[in-house]
Amino acid sequence: MKKPTANFKPCWIFSTLLLSAFTFIGRRAIASPPEKTTEKEELLVLPGEVGQRGERLVVSLRGEPKTLNPLISVDTPSREVIGTMQADLVHINRATQLTEPALAKSWKISPDGLRYTLVLRRGLKFSDGYPMDADDVLFTFRLYLDEKVHAPQRDLLIFDGKPISLQKVDSHTIVFQLPKPYGVMERMFDGWAILPRHLLEKPYEEGKIAQVGALTTPPNHWAGLGPFRLKEYVAGQRLVLERNPYYWKTDAKGNRLPYLDELVFLFVPSADAQVLRFQSGETGVISRLGAENFSVLSRDQKDYAMVDAGPGLEYNFLFFNLNDLGEKAPPEMIQKQKWFRDLKFRQAVSSAVDREAIVRLVYQGRGAALWGLVTPGNRRWADEKLPHSPRSLEKARELLKEAGFSWGVPGNGDSWLQDSDGKPVEFSIIAQSSSSERSKMAALIQDDLKQLGMRVQVVPLESRSLLDRVTQTKQYDACVLGAASYDADPNSDINVWLSSGGLHLWNPSQARPATPWEAEIDRLINEQMYASTFEQRKKLYDRAQEVLAENQPMIFLVSPNILAGAKNTIGNFHPAVLEPYVFWNVEQLYLKNGTENATR
Amino acid sequence: MRYLLRRLGHALLLLAGVSVLTFLFTALAPGTYFDEMRMNPQIAPETIAALRAQYGLDKPLPLRYASWLSSLVHGEMGFSFAYNSPVAPLLLVRAGNTLLLTITSTLLAWAIALPLGTWSAERMGRLPDRLLSWGTAMLLVIPDLALALGLLVLAVRSGWFPTGGMASVGFETLSPFNKLRDVALHMILPVTALVLSTLPLLFRHVRAAIADILDAPFLLAALGHGIPKRTLLYRYALPAAANPLISLFGFSIGMLLSGSLLIEVVMSWPGLGPLLLEAILARDLYVVIGGILFSTFFLVGGNLFADLLLYWADPRIRTESNAQ
């Protein structure tokens, strides 16, 4: 026994050494705010339940955030974190889905719709105590517009090839000049985090702007205008944010927000592990839940309550390959595209798909069947007149008969569908293997279509390979996919609607519209973009939704509900259907009574 | 010395080969990191093209390999698209956490397997040995994933152990002793899972090696001379049976960085596992290549170490290689 024991001891000593080497990377902020001006602060007073100051909220993130820099962030965890550390000029209230004043206390639009004059709040300060004024806004938009910065959202500030321009009127007034009237510019101000010029000017001039805001940034080198600021980052484990004492909102009683002292994001790499952490009480809030985990958690709600916020903005759909594949297309593909291009064929497929079964079997009833791109969660913009035709195999068979399809009877007694040339109708549907929901949808559709005599194979593909096939090589028959609008406004899906758009998935990036109905949609969408009143826009957008539904290039299936949960001790927890689902009012979240700490 | 040099040469060649192959295979995998952005309606295709160009993804493969090699020499190991930073620091921090877990569990597994295997071999065919064989066979067939999940369920139901991670929230406020305790507590479940998954293999090898040697004439002779059985086992049988075990130990070292990836993901241990999984799914090319190279380095290094140990332990190998 001697040898093993001898091994055992050094192992513990070694572990101790490793420990001290790898876990103590925390750093403390030593920000020293310049206390020069004591300008009267114009704070924003929020209505709603008044909470209690203090405590710490622990939540889990599926992945590790990659950066704190809003100029380059694209992944969900980074954006979720950045959302709690930054603020925008005009904000979309996630509950009402309407715009409201944020850093800008008011704004005026010139009669021709080309000039937006924004007035900033007085006395605003970044989380490191530095005052913020119009120069920060000008600087921020200079960065977003700079081609060399590669800000992913840059395109949204370009209209017909011309960028918007900004002028400073005085230290608190800025004019945004648009190249073209744009109906929803005030919504567009949402999400553009105003950045600290005093911290970013030097790296920007040195061309190192993409490197700033790394998670390893010392806390006193990073600042924002959001409710929380950086406190500590431990690679692979957690990100700790602390209360921003300079935040510009108060509650109805005049207490400065946010209520929480600390917000801790734990990095938990799998959904099941997130559920376990929540169940064991280590985390206080859980969001982005699948229906299965939601029902598991719903079973014993003692210390926590689960919330179903209803359908969100995600839409799942089936589409066929309608690309012009040119001369090189193999003959089978040409034959298949003959069916796919036939409107009656697509209508028959749509009629045969049992959407209610998908809602029931894939989402355990926590979703809404879908007949158009705009989901019922988008209350203002969904077209209520859109027909919700129930599933009908008879109608589907009739449509197929009209289109010249017939049912041959081979030896085994099954009757398979064949086209007018006598070719059996056989194709494959690709689906993301990483999304068990979409794989299940594809399998259910396979079953539904089998009843029409179509032979369908489901091919699960890893997400990147699938996107590669759909957007690059165009080697696929049909595909089940989903997308989520980032805002309730129609313009967030513009690349899906327009035939020139990269997300016009069935035939992306067309030079000119391939069909008359695509031209019609292009016209309607472009018109609504520049129409000035909501009623006009709504009318045009409804019509676009109808044209899309009539032509079925995308066969819409289901919109899943937004599911979340929180400990009973957490106050003001009101999940919204817009991102960020649970942290949109993070400054108002609080822990009741202060009795229970989220830590064990 | 010549033996050592030759071995080192082999190891370096192997590493170079692996780096070329991983580069080739990751480049051949369909899709790139920037494809996911295509599904984001906010991002224009021109921006994506510009980003690809910025990271040199539009250059031919040999050029990319060359620039990667030069960054390897500078200690950066390429650039992570997702983190916007060099790969080496990302990997190093997490490799440390992984090693903490795997070194502990490997040593623990060996510390259990050696005496247990010897004990069992001594009683070959009797009830305790049969029971142990059964038990380890059972452990062998349970997938690691099931083992880890089972332990996690236990943790949630009992509330005795944390359900993942490496440290509690509020870790930075603890005293040094409590910090140690906290990490040790967090290590219990993943270490148990790792030990349970490696133990059966080690145990069976030790048992077989000892059992083989127990029948050897020199041991029977020693037994005849009245040497106590205990001394016999540990002083004579174990060293004689060491050769296959040394090779196995080299293999254990080789698995230090790659053996725990799954457990880490399930138990959210902040090691290489979660990072690599995410990088593979997101096609964060250089992180994947860096991770593979890291674990290959350990595999090759472990084998080299085992070879050297064998050279030192076994005179037969010494004379053989000197004769050549």
Side-chain angles (χ1 to χ4, degrees), chain A residues 1 3-5 7-8 10-12 14-16 18-19 22-25 56 58 62-67 72 74-75 77 79 148-156 210-211 214-215 231-233 235-238 240 262 264 266-270 272-273 276-277 279-280 282 462-465 467-468 471-472 481-484 486 492-496 502-503 505 509 599-600, chain B residues 30-47 50-51 54-55 79 82-85 90 92-97 99-100 103-104 107-108 110-112 114-115 149 152-153 156-157 159 161-173 176 179-180 183-184 186-187 230 234 238 264-271 274-275 277-278 280-283:
Chain A
M1 272 309 281
K3 206 173 174 185
T5 340
N7 273 344
F8 193 67
C11 120
W12 276 107
F14 191 43
S15 320
T16 322
L18 277 170
L19 247 183
F22 293 110
T23 53
F24 300 176
I25 343 172
R56 163 168 58 201
V58 185
R62 181 84 55 87
E64 197 167 342
K66 308 294 178 296
T67 176
I72 56 166
V74 279
D75 59 298
R79 302 189 71 119
K148 289 196 284 297
V149 172
H150 300 306
Q153 318 92 315
R154 177 176 181 271
D155 203 39
L156 300 175
Q211 275 86 57
L215 287 151
K231 186 181 178 194
E232 187 200 17
Y233 164 71
Q237 298 190 45
R238 65 185 177 275
V240 182
E262 266 182 26
V264 181
L266 298 180
F267 315 143
V268 181
S270 78
D272 297 329
L276 282 173
R277 293 282 187 104
Q279 243 175 345
S280 69
E282 283 176 61
E462 191 264 338
S463 186
R464 306 271 152 166
S465 319
L467 289 178
D468 196 52
T471 61
Q472 306 297 306
L481 205 60
Y486 61 88
S492 77
D493 293 298
I494 204 108
N495 283 324
V496 183
L503 289 179
L505 287 162
S509 312
T599 335
R600 270 168 167 269
Chain B
T32 68
Y33 174 75
F34 301 100
D35 278 347
E36 193 82 2
M37 291 188 187
R38 283 181 218 283
M39 278 305 285
N40 185 336
Q42 285 181 292
I43 305 176
E46 295 79 48
T47 312
L51 279 168
Q54 189 194 340
Y55 288 108
F79 208 74
Y83 286 85
N84 233 294
S85 82
L90 288 176
L92 277 176
V93 174
R94 291 163 179 83
N97 292 339
L99 285 179
L100 172 64
I103 288 178
T104 313
L107 292 181
L108 204 60
W110 275 96
I112 298 174
L114 273 180
L149 285 177
L152 275 181
V153 169
V156 173
R157 295 256 178 258
F161 306 106
T163 47
M166 183 170 155
S168 300
V169 179
F171 183 75
E172 66 282 353
T173 60
K179 276 182 181 169
L180 202 66
V183 174
H186 279 84
M187 279 173 71
R230 216 183 130 78
Y234 288 100
L238 208 50
E264 286 177 21
V265 171
V266 177
M267 305 240 178
S268 42
W269 185 262
L275 180 79
L277 179 70
E278 209 183 336
I280 289 169
L281 291 178
R283 299 278 191 281

Side-chain angles (χ1 to χ4, degrees), chain A residues 80 124 254 380 458 508:
Chain A
E80 188 120 281
L124 287 172
R380 264 160 69 85
V458 174

Side-chain angles (χ1 to χ4, degrees), chain B residues 121 124 206-216:
Chain B
M124 182 71 88
V206 172
R207 176 174 167 271
I210 301 280
D212 266 359
I213 211 85
L214 277 183
D215 289 337

Side-chain angles (χ1 to χ4, degrees), chain A residues 446-508:
Chain A
Q446 177 187 33
D447 249 23
D448 287 338
L449 296 184
K450 196 176 165 195
Q451 298 179 38
L452 289 182
M454 297 184 189
R455 276 183 268 209
V456 177
Q457 287 97 46
V458 174
V459 182
L461 278 180
E462 191 264 338
S463 186
R464 306 271 152 166
S465 319
L466 181 134
L467 289 178
D468 196 52
R469 287 210 199 183
V470 170
T471 61
Q472 306 297 306
T473 63
K474 320 264 163 82
Q475 285 172 351
Y476 70 102
D477 298 341
C479 174
V480 169
L481 205 60
S485 323
Y486 61 88
D487 178 22
D489 192 85
N491 290 353
S492 77
D493 293 298
I494 204 108
N495 283 324
V496 183
W497 286 108
L498 295 182
S499 60
S500 57
L503 289 179
H504 196 75
L505 287 162
W506 63 93
N507 187 2

Side-chain angles (χ1 to χ4, degrees), chain B:
Chain B
M1 199 58 205
R2 284 228 344 251
Y3 179 77
L4 177 71
L5 280 179
R6 208 171 62 227
R7 285 275 148 189
L8 261 178
H10 281 225
L12 282 177
L13 268 179
L14 196 61
L15 274 177
V18 167
S19 81
V20 172
L21 279 180
T22 39
F23 217 86
L24 208 63
F25 283 131
T26 42
L28 283 178
T32 68
Y33 174 75
F34 301 100
D35 278 347
E36 193 82 2
M37 291 188 187
R38 283 181 218 283
M39 278 305 285
N40 185 336
Q42 285 181 292
I43 305 176
E46 295 79 48
T47 312
I48 298 174
L51 279 168
R52 285 176 60 103
Q54 189 194 340
Y55 288 108
L57 278 182
D58 50 351
K59 295 207 188 82
L61 207 57
L63 261 181
R64 272 156 57 190
Y65 185 68
S67 65
W68 178 75
L69 273 186
S70 93
S71 96
L72 183 67
V73 173
H74 290 100
E76 289 192 340
M77 305 184 78
F79 208 74
S80 159
F81 308 137
Y83 286 85
N84 233 294
S85 82
V87 169
L90 288 176
L91 287 177
L92 277 176
V93 174
R94 291 163 179 83
N97 292 339
T98 294
L99 285 179
L100 172 64
L101 197 63
T102 49
I103 288 178
T104 313
S105 60
T106 304
L107 292 181
L108 204 60
W110 275 96
I112 298 174
L114 273 180
L116 203 64
T118 317
W119 187 76
S120 188
E122 204 191 339
R123 289 159 184 76
M124 182 71 88
R126 286 194 278 168
L127 190 65
D129 173 59
R130 300 252 291 274
L131 280 180
L132 269 174
S133 293
W134 269 94
T136 49
M138 288 289 289
L139 276 177
L140 208 57
V141 295
I142 300 175
D144 291 4
L145 186 67
L147 211 61
L149 285 177
L151 286 171
L152 275 181
V153 169
L154 179 82
V156 173
R157 295 256 178 258
S158 67
W160 294 336
F161 306 106
T163 47
M166 183 170 155
S168 300
V169 179
F171 183 75
E172 66 282 353
T173 60
L174 298 176
S175 68
F177 174 73
N178 280 334
K179 276 182 181 169
L180 202 66
R181 229 193 86 195
D182 188 53
V183 174
L185 198 63
H186 279 84
M187 279 173 71
I188 291 178
L189 284 189
V191 165
T192 311
L194 281 172
V195 167
L196 287 182
S197 68
T198 48
L199 184 64
L201 188 79
L202 297 184
F203 165 78
R204 292 182 152 247
H205 271 98
V206 172
R207 176 174 167 271
I210 301 280
D212 266 359
I213 211 85
L214 277 183
D215 289 337
F218 82 90
L219 274 183
L220 290 179
L223 198 63
H225 277 86
I227 297 173
K229 197 144 189 198
R230 216 183 130 78
T231 322
L232 191 77
L233 265 179
Y234 288 100
R235 188 164 301 164
Y236 300 103
L238 208 50
N243 274 8
L245 298 183
I246 287 175
S247 301
L248 192 64
F249 187 65
F251 183 70
S252 280
I253 295 176
M255 295 300 285
L256 280 179
L257 271 188
S258 49
S260 65
L261 300 189
L262 180 75
I263 303 278
E264 286 177 21
V265 171
V266 177
M267 305 240 178
S268 42
W269 185 262
L272 285 176
L275 180 79
L276 286 183
L277 179 70
E278 209 183 336
I280 289 169
L281 291 178
R283 299 278 191 281
D284 199 348
L285 218 60
Y286 297 110
V287 175
V288 178
I289 295 171
I292 293 173
L293 214 63
F294 251 52
S295 35
T296 316
F297 180 78
F298 263 75
L299 198 65
V300 173
N303 279 327
L304 190 66
F305 181 67
D307 283 346
L308 291 180
L309 263 185
L310 277 180
Y311 185 81
W312 168 77
D314 193 337
R316 281 171 299 187
I317 297 176
R318 258 190 311 244
T319 45
E320 201 176 296
S321 63
N322 284 343
Q324 271 175 11

Side-chain angles (χ1 to χ4, degrees), chain A residues 59 208 253 259 327 346 413 432 590:
Chain A
V59 297
K208 288 188 190 147
K253 280 198 176 151
Y259 291 125
E327 308 285 290
R346 298 198 300 268
Q432 285 161 301
Y590 71 96

